[in-house]
Amino acid sequence: MRSFNPAQLEAIRHKDGPMMVLAGPGSGKTTVITERIRCLIEEAGVHPGTILVVTFTKAAAVEMKSRFLQLCGGVSMPVSFGTFHSIFFSILKAAYNYQAGDIITDSRRMEIFREIVADEQLELDDENDFITGIASEISLVKGENMNLDHYYSTTCAEDIFRRVYAAYNRKLRQARQIDFDDMLVFTWELFRERKDILKAWQNKFQYILIDEFQDINRLQYEIIRMLAAPKNNLFIVGDDDQSIYRFRGAKPEIMLGFLNDYPGAKQALLDVNYRCTQEIVEGALRVIKNNKKRYAKALAAFHKGGEPLKVKLFNDVREEYDTVIKEICGYHKDAAMPLKDMAVLYRTNTGSRQMIAKLMEYNIPFRMKDNVPNIFEHWIARDLIAYIKVAMGSQARSDFLRIINRPKRYIARQYMEGANVTLEELRQRHAGKEWAVERLDKLIYDMKTIRDMDPFAAVNYIRYAVGYDGYLTEYASMRRLAEDELLDVVTEIQESARDFKTFEQWFSYMENYGLRLQAQARRRENAERDGVVLSTMHSAKGLEYDAVFIIDANEGVVPHKKAVMEEDVEEERRMFYVAMTRARKYLHIYFAKERYHKPAVMSRFVGELLLDRDKFTVGQRVRHKVYGEGRIVQITQTSATILFEADKTMKTLSISFCISNNLLTLL
């Protein structure tokens, strides 16, 4: 016990009643949990069979159990380790005799949704996109135990969502199958209706420990509260600053309200970071403390000093990514750092294509934490490729069907019979219909024009002269999608064509890119293989690397442009904080002043990193980029009043705006 700090010891030695342990990044929370289990058994005399340890992933449960077994010298103990779903399924299995085969597989689940789409005769441009969206929403509704009357779908109209929701559940019940969300709903219903069964499980699990508590959803919490009563030996460990799964139903508010739900709960703060250098810890804290809804924490780094954070602005993304490659090669060759100890982190998978292409270009091995979708298999890419193929002379009916009404030309499918189609034949079949002939003449002209262009110019012509961007705008409105997201996809595809002179070269690049992605997917699980790690910020959580590169730290990327509400911005800031604290020794944060030939600005989070808002004090001299030098004469929670020396004027400015836009420096 001598090797633990006071906060760790307090958590480890806690016995009865509720306790909340706030565990900052790299603070040894897994060690604290496993040591507490050992302490309960060996020092408090608790029967190991009454202890339940709950995690969010199977991998975390396996690691926790393995660490505990090592503490016990390899002697097996009947402590229960499992995910929420595995524990709840055990409860349902005992009550209803469910078997593993009753849990629906992901593939069968997707088949059911495809059947529903066919049964409902839904006309969709991209069935997979629709199914992914609606499946996620149904999971969210179940996880929140939400009344459908109070839910408004973002994927489709309310009546369609409710029909799909009802049909999905009906098909599950008919097949006597349950999905992972049903495990929560059914356990909650069972405990409410059968107090005798609840009592039996309360007697079974008298000490409950929960890891990563900040990721809990409402229904999971309600079940755990029932299970922990009446003794309430509930030991929760987590970090509200690392709650980044709101889209899955996780609610940091639950952790923030824990002390209200359990007024007598003990509290401990694991405030020493054993992973990162002092420079990284202090930088990350400068960012995260700008969140309003959080527990304030004074964290310290075990490793003092360290390399300064490297924050750099580049002219464009290409220059940014070239520098990442140069730095990776430098660490690998000069510092003998294994490639797998370096990670490139980005906000979304759509931002990874160019980085992947760069690594391929320089033959640098890499591993992807996520199953990165091939952007050239996106339905928008398939539309653009079909346009080009028709321009090059394709007569395939499938190509014509993709383009003929994108944008709307009101040309019916029945006019395109047989395996081959030509525009001249279509024109002849519409003889007498001047409106149709006029539109087909325009399409014939467009195809001849595209044929003689390079790939980049061709995509540009399809977008603006043919009107494909207008079609995407209409499609986004109809499907309740964010128009900007679709336009980002088409822009990314267009950018990929910039370096190619011919369509054949571009198509060859697409094919090779797809093959490399497939090869990476097959090797993704091989953690021993040396390679730079590419990951979204979400998937990097819980991991650590010697050197981390956060790329595309631009406003609109992180925070994402969809983050409009304050709670969304706070989640984005938590994501940035998680990304920063993955770095053990070296942290690079890069951004460009131009993205896709459009002006871009630095992320507000970078501004918060560069300028500590706590340094804004009365009397502090500052320099404003526009107004020059001055002195702060008054401070409120949100604004600073500054007397500027040049013209002796006083201006009251938003602190957040000045920090986010790097307008002020301290003198």
Side-chain angles (χ1 to χ4, degrees):
M1 286 294 186
R2 292 177 181 174
S3 62
F4 297 110
N5 64 46
Q8 290 174 325
L9 279 176
E10 182 184 1
I12 290 168
R13 288 175 170 158
H14 174 76
K15 183 175 183 288
D16 294 325
M19 184 176 204
M20 177 175 70
V21 179
L22 293 171
S27 59
K29 67 180 180 62
T30 302
T31 300
V32 165
I33 293 172
T34 52
E35 282 286 350
R36 180 177 184 251
I37 301 168
R38 186 200 60 76
C39 195
L40 284 173
I41 297 169
E42 296 181 2
E43 299 181 20
V46 173
H47 190 292
T50 64
I51 300 173
L52 170 64
V53 184
V54 187
T55 65
F56 277 85
T57 67
K58 185 178 179 180
V62 169
E63 181 191 357
M64 195 81 72
K65 185 174 183 178
S66 174
R67 294 271 290 270
F68 174 64
L69 280 174
Q70 289 174 8
L71 275 182
C72 300
V75 178
S76 181
M77 297 273 189
V79 176
S80 297
F81 292 86
T83 64
F84 281 100
H85 290 105
S86 67
I87 299 300
F88 295 163
F89 184 70
S90 297
I91 293 169
L92 295 176
K93 184 178 180 180
Y96 301 128
N97 198 31
Y98 277 119
Q99 301 300 315
D102 296 323
I103 304 172
I104 192 167
T105 62
D106 285 339
S107 58
R108 176 57 189 149
R109 189 164 176 257
M110 293 301 105
E111 281 179 19
I112 287 179
F113 281 116
R114 281 191 282 272
E115 290 169 7
I116 294 170
V117 167
D119 293 342
E120 295 288 335
Q121 297 183 335
L122 301 177
E123 293 186 9
L124 306 170
D125 284 294
D126 191 332
E127 184 178 282
N128 290 335
D129 187 43
F130 173 82
I131 288 174
T132 300
I134 206 160
S136 176
E137 288 195 76
I138 288 174
S139 180
L140 184 64
V141 168
K142 287 186 177 184
E144 286 295 300
N145 208 13
M146 206 178 296
N147 187 324
L148 275 185
D149 292 337
H150 302 148
Y151 183 74
Y152 297 92
S153 172
T154 58
T155 300
C156 56
E158 274 69 53
D159 61 323
I160 294 176
F161 179 81
R162 288 167 190 167
R163 293 205 310 268
V164 173
Y165 184 90
Y168 171 67
N169 283 325
R170 184 171 60 252
K171 285 178 178 286
L172 283 181
R173 302 296 88 82
Q174 288 170 350
R176 200 181 184 274
Q177 288 194 304
I178 60 174
D179 63 19
F180 282 96
D181 301 300
D182 288 332
M183 293 180 194
L184 276 60
V185 175
F186 291 177
T187 304
W188 179 76
E189 291 174 347
L190 176 68
F191 282 175
R192 285 189 66 200
E193 296 167 7
R194 293 291 302 273
K195 299 303 180 186
D196 56 329
I197 292 177
L198 172 59
K199 180 67 175 175
W201 286 103
Q202 287 171 337
N203 290 334
K204 164 68 175 168
F205 297 131
Q206 296 182 27
Y207 288 85
I208 301 175
L209 300 85
I210 302 179
D211 187 23
E212 302 283 11
F213 186 80
Q214 75 278 353
D215 294 333
I216 202 166
N217 70 27
R218 180 60 59 187
L219 200 51
Q220 289 166 338
Y221 184 51
E222 291 301 327
I223 297 169
I224 288 295
R225 291 198 69 187
M226 287 192 277
L227 195 57
K231 294 183 178 180
N232 294 328
N233 293 326
L234 185 56
F235 184 87
I236 68 164
V237 182
D239 182 4
D240 55 304
D241 287 335
Q242 296 186 70
S243 179
I244 59 174
Y245 295 113
R246 181 178 289 273
F247 68 96
R248 292 183 190 166
K251 291 190 176 295
E253 298 90 338
I254 295 174
M255 190 167 194
L256 292 170
F258 185 80
L259 297 179
N260 293 328
D261 294 336
Y262 296 94
K266 295 289 196 306
Q267 184 178 352
L269 170 62
L270 304 187
D271 57 357
V272 179
N273 182 309
Y274 294 94
R275 174 194 302 154
C276 313
T277 64
Q278 182 179 354
E279 286 279 344
I280 294 169
V281 170
E282 291 179 353
L285 286 175
R286 283 199 297 274
V287 175
I288 197 62
K289 71 183 178 184
N290 288 277
N291 271 4
K292 297 182 178 66
K293 294 181 180 178
R294 64 183 292 264
Y295 288 113
K297 307 174 192 70
L299 303 179
F302 181 78
H303 303 290
K304 303 303 179 186
E307 288 288 320
L309 278 56
K310 295 182 180 178
V311 181
K312 288 187 179 180
L313 168 67
F314 298 92
N315 289 317
D316 55 32
V317 171
R318 182 170 301 199
E319 183 182 305
E320 177 186 349
Y321 291 2
D322 281 339
T323 303
V324 172
I325 296 294
K326 180 181 177 183
E327 295 282 359
I328 287 172
C329 292
Y331 282 132
H332 187 53
K333 293 175 182 176
D334 301 335
M337 185 186 295
L339 293 174
K340 64 182 178 182
D341 286 340
M342 294 180 259
V344 180
L345 307 183
Y346 35 81
R347 172 62 181 84
T348 64
N349 268 324
T350 55
S352 65
R353 185 202 62 81
Q354 284 182 284
M355 194 69 241
I356 291 170
K358 277 290 178 188
L359 290 165
M360 289 178 179
E361 180 183 339
Y362 286 88
N363 290 315
I364 298 174
F366 62 93
R367 293 185 297 114
M368 295 179 291
K369 291 298 296 179
D370 311 87
N371 187 10
V372 178
N374 185 347
I375 195 168
F376 300 120
E377 292 177 355
H378 194 286
W379 61 269
I380 291 177
R382 294 200 298 269
D383 286 353
L384 297 174
I385 292 167
Y387 261 109
I388 292 170
K389 284 183 175 179
V390 171
M392 294 170 69
S394 171
Q395 296 181 2
R397 183 173 183 267
S398 58
D399 288 335
F400 276 84
L401 288 175
R402 289 207 73 88
I403 72 168
I404 198 66
N405 286 310
R406 299 181 182 187
K408 290 288 187 188
R409 298 183 181 91
Y410 301 96
I411 306 299
R413 296 170 71 96
Q414 69 240 31
Y415 288 104
M416 292 176 280
E417 298 172 348
N420 296 324
V421 180
T422 70
L423 286 170
E424 289 297 338
E425 287 175 358
L426 278 177
R427 190 180 186 282
Q428 290 171 15
R429 290 175 183 175
H430 285 82
K433 297 179 180 178
E434 290 187 16
W435 60 270
V437 170
E438 184 178 327
R439 287 168 185 170
L440 287 168
D441 282 343
K442 171 68 165 60
L443 183 56
I444 291 169
Y445 172 81
D446 289 337
M447 294 299 98
K448 289 179 179 177
T449 304
I450 291 169
R451 185 184 307 151
D452 298 325
M453 290 180 163
D454 62 52
F456 184 88
V459 175
N460 200 62
Y461 187 90
I462 294 166
R463 293 183 66 180
Y464 302 111
V466 175
Y468 189 77
D469 272 22
Y471 160 73
L472 291 179
T473 299
E474 184 182 336
Y475 177 82
S477 175
M478 179 183 67
R479 281 285 314 281
R480 298 188 180 184
L481 299 174
E483 176 187 339
D484 286 350
E485 289 187 22
L486 297 183
L487 295 178
D488 282 350
V489 171
V490 73
T491 299
E492 174 73 12
I493 294 165
Q494 183 178 0
E495 280 300 311
S496 76
R498 185 177 289 277
D499 294 332
F500 302 100
K501 300 299 182 186
T502 68
F503 296 129
E504 289 80 8
Q505 290 173 348
W506 190 36
F507 291 166
S508 177
Y509 165 77
M510 292 183 197
E511 183 179 358
N512 290 332
Y513 178 82
L515 291 173
R516 291 291 293 271
L517 269 190
Q518 290 172 15
Q520 284 296 326
R522 289 192 294 270
R523 291 194 290 259
R524 195 166 66 250
E525 300 303 320
N526 183 5
E528 297 305 312
R529 177 177 173 271
D530 195 26
V532 177
V533 176
L534 301 185
S535 175
T536 61
M537 295 177 180
H538 277 112
S539 295
K541 186 170 175 287
L543 303 174
E544 56 188 74
Y545 307 92
D546 281 347
V548 166
F549 299 85
I550 298 176
I551 60 173
D552 304 331
N554 286 97
E555 196 73 11
V557 179
V558 55
H560 197 277
K561 56 191 165 192
K562 288 193 298 184
V564 178
M565 306 296 289
E566 184 61 32
E567 62 184 19
D568 297 324
V569 173
E570 292 212 348
E571 173 134 331
E572 295 282 320
R573 188 177 283 109
R574 291 194 293 269
M575 217 176 310
F576 198 77
Y577 174 74
V578 166
M580 291 181 70
T581 53
R582 298 312 93 197
R584 287 189 286 253
K585 299 177 182 177
Y586 309 103
L587 177 59
H588 302 252
I589 301 175
Y590 292 167
F591 50 97
K593 63 182 179 183
E594 182 181 281
R595 290 177 55 80
Y596 304 131
H597 303 277
K598 293 180 181 178
V601 297
M602 175 185 75
S603 167
R604 70 188 73 179
F605 304 150
V606 179
E608 294 164 0
L609 167 64
L610 295 174
L611 185 57
D612 188 344
R613 72 179 297 130
D614 288 348
K615 297 291 177 66
F616 280 73
T617 56
V618 172
Q620 174 67 51
R621 293 192 70 245
V622 297
R623 178 182 290 112
H624 191 280
K625 280 189 176 180
V626 177
Y627 307 124
E629 295 183 6
R631 189 180 302 276
I632 297 175
V633 296
Q634 186 177 346
I635 286 282
T636 69
Q637 191 172 1
T638 59
S639 64
T641 301
I642 303 171
L643 175 62
F644 288 100
E645 297 168 358
D647 54 7
K648 304 300 181 186
T649 60
M650 211 125 54
K651 298 184 185 295
T652 300
L653 306 174
S654 164
I655 295 175
S656 294
F657 183 81
C658 289
I659 290 176
S660 298
N661 292 276
N662 203 24
L663 294 175
L664 282 174
T665 52
L666 304 177
L667 299 175

